[in-house]
Amino acid sequence: MVLIIPVLILWMQHIRSQVDGQQINQIPKFSLLQEGENFTTYCNSSSTLYSFQWYKQRPGGSPVFLMLLTKPGEVKKPNRLTARFGDTGKDSSLHITAAQSADAGTYFCAE
Ligand SMILES: *[C@@H]1O[C@H](CO)[C@@H](O)[C@H](O)[C@H]1NC(C)=O
Ligand SMILES: *[C@@H]1O[C@H](CO)[C@@H](O)[C@H](O)[C@H]1NC(C)=O
């Protein structure tokens, strides 16, 4: 049996960012992972940001804070997650190593 793990990535401040005229991009937004697969996504901004935060919301749960990145180039690796603040200060990547069913959920990035 193949376990399918749904993962959705959202930018928390999308609406405010559109008002500011700030461009944000996330690829991919929605993904179905197989157990054991790696997954990487980015939250990109057109302007330099001072920090990146990542949150995770399990299906039916509340958003839970995962980590804060405050320096370009900074990397944090809690458990099987790796988050990196890009050297330019304009993007952050989130990497899931060997996806498990517990990884299912919605991941938010925020400034
Ligand atoms: C986001 O930033 C990363 C790292 O700079 C880059 O590789 C990727 O192509 C960018 N994606 C988008 C949608 O701009
Ligand atoms: C999955 O990610 C881990 C750690 O980031 C890496 O060591 C491993 O080679 C990756 N596996 C594949 C199939 O890309």
Side-chain angles (χ1 to χ4, degrees):
M1 197 192 90
V2 175
L3 182 63
I4 301 292
I5 303 158
V7 171
L8 178 68
I9 312 292
L10 295 174
W11 183 279
M12 226 179 231
Q13 295 170 320
H14 194 114
I15 293 171
R16 206 217 72 196
S17 297
Q18 283 180 332
V19 171
D20 288 355
Q22 184 185 37
Q23 300 276 314
I24 61 102
N25 288 299
Q26 292 168 307
I27 291 179
K29 288 188 172 69
F30 179 73
S31 202
L32 292 170
L33 312 181
Q34 293 191 6
E35 193 172 12
E37 260 183 359
N38 282 355
F39 171 77
T40 304
T41 191
Y42 288 91
C43 285
N44 296 17
S45 172
S46 62
S47 52
T48 304
L49 303 178
Y50 295 102
S51 64
F52 258 103
Q53 298 172 61
W54 285 94
Y55 291 83
K56 175 183 179 181
Q57 186 168 17
R58 297 284 307 272
S62 306
V64 173
F65 173 75
L66 293 175
M67 60 204 128
L68 169 70
L69 303 167
T70 56
K71 287 185 281 290
E74 188 177 357
V75 177
K76 285 198 176 165
K77 296 187 178 187
N79 302 316
R80 286 172 299 99
L81 292 178
T82 305
R84 184 170 204 285
F85 195 175
D87 294 331
T88 61
K90 292 183 174 181
D91 63 76
S92 179
S93 60
L94 182 71
H95 179 82
I96 298 174
T97 302
Q100 297 175 4
S101 57
D103 298 323
T106 303
Y107 292 79
F108 299 95
C109 53
E111 190 172 350

